[in-house]
Structure formats: C-alpha cells, structure tokens
Amino acid sequence: MQTKFTTAIARRRGTGLTGWHVLLVFVVFFAAVFAVNATMIYSAVSTYSGVVATEPFRKGLHYNDRILANERQLQLHWLDTLIIDREGRVELLLTNADGQAITGLSVATTIGRPSTNREDVKVDLAAGAAGRYEAQIAPLAPGSWIATIDARTSAQAVEPIFRARRRVWMAP
C-alpha cells in the first residue's frame, strides 16, 4: 500500500535534473569536443606536411653563398617581365638597366601553387627573338600561382646568374 509521502517522492523523481542527466550532458559535451578536435587534427595533418624546404640543413650551410649570389644579381640591374596567360603561354623578357635584351641564357621556370607542390610544372624556356624566352604549358586553373625563374649562363652551370619569384593570379 502506498502512502501519500511515497507517491509524492515518486512523482518528484520523475521530474527535474538527476545525476544521470548531468552525466549524459557531460559525456555528450566532451564527445563533441573530441570529435571537433579529431576533425581539425585530421584536416591539418592531411593538407599540409609542414615541410618548408627540402634539405634545410644543406641549404642553411650555403646561406652565405646565397646572400653573395643575390648581391651579384642586384649589381647586374636586370629587370624581368613575366607573362603567363590563361592558355598556358609563358613568356619572359630579361633586360638590363639600359633596356637592352639579355640573350644567350638557359632559362628554366617552375610554376606551382603557393601551398603545395602537387601541381608544380617545370619547364625550360626556349630563347626567342629580342631576349624573349618562351614555352607552352597546359592551361592553368584559376587562383594564385608562384613562378620561380632560374637563368643560367649555360645548361651545365650549377648556380643561376639570375633568380626571381613572381606571384601570378589567374582570374576565373
């Protein structure tokens, strides 16, 4: 037989916040936090490896040589004009301070995305008329691209006489 007192307690237990409710809210909250963290970690690790340069130690050993090469390049007073169009035509014009074309160089360029090397295209530019160096590549997708130019006195030369990096934007 139930009394009024036990009936009131039974009714009271059915309503309100209980220990099980608090535990359930606690577990769901931290499960959501862990799921978001796992998603962010996977996204970060799968999209960018963190490698900024290949062989950074070796490049670091030759850093002073690179500074000297840059000073020699600045003394040349060469100017470059790089044109890359939507159809993939690459054209480079090298001139000296007087506006005269620089000819007789072996020019190579690498065109790629700033954030990954998956879409890098390496191409040797052929010498054309009046100091123009040209090549044809596949059309580039819209977005930001980085073009790295290396001009050497000959194809066998180890160090380039002229280096440049140019950002290119392909409009959609």
Side-chain angles (χ1 to χ4, degrees), residues 97-165:
D98 299 330
Q100 296 174 340
I102 309 294
T103 59
L105 298 176
S106 175
V107 180
T109 185
T110 302
I111 303 167
R113 296 286 190 177
S115 59
T116 182
N117 61 358
R118 292 181 189 148
E119 298 181 51
D120 283 6
V121 176
K122 296 180 182 182
V123 62
D124 292 327
L125 302 179
R132 294 189 186 281
Y133 299 90
E134 303 168 328
Q136 181 68 38
I137 60 172
L140 297 176
S144 182
W145 295 85
I146 297 285
T148 304
I149 303 161
D150 285 339
R152 292 176 165 76
T153 54
S154 69
Q156 292 78 23
V158 177
E159 281 298 313
I161 192 168
F162 180 83
R163 275 189 174 154
R165 285 177 56 99

Side-chain angles (χ1 to χ4, degrees), residues 11 27 81 102 105 108 142 154 166 171:
R11 241 185 282 134
V27 168
T81 305
I102 309 294
L105 298 176
S154 69
R166 299 289 175 256

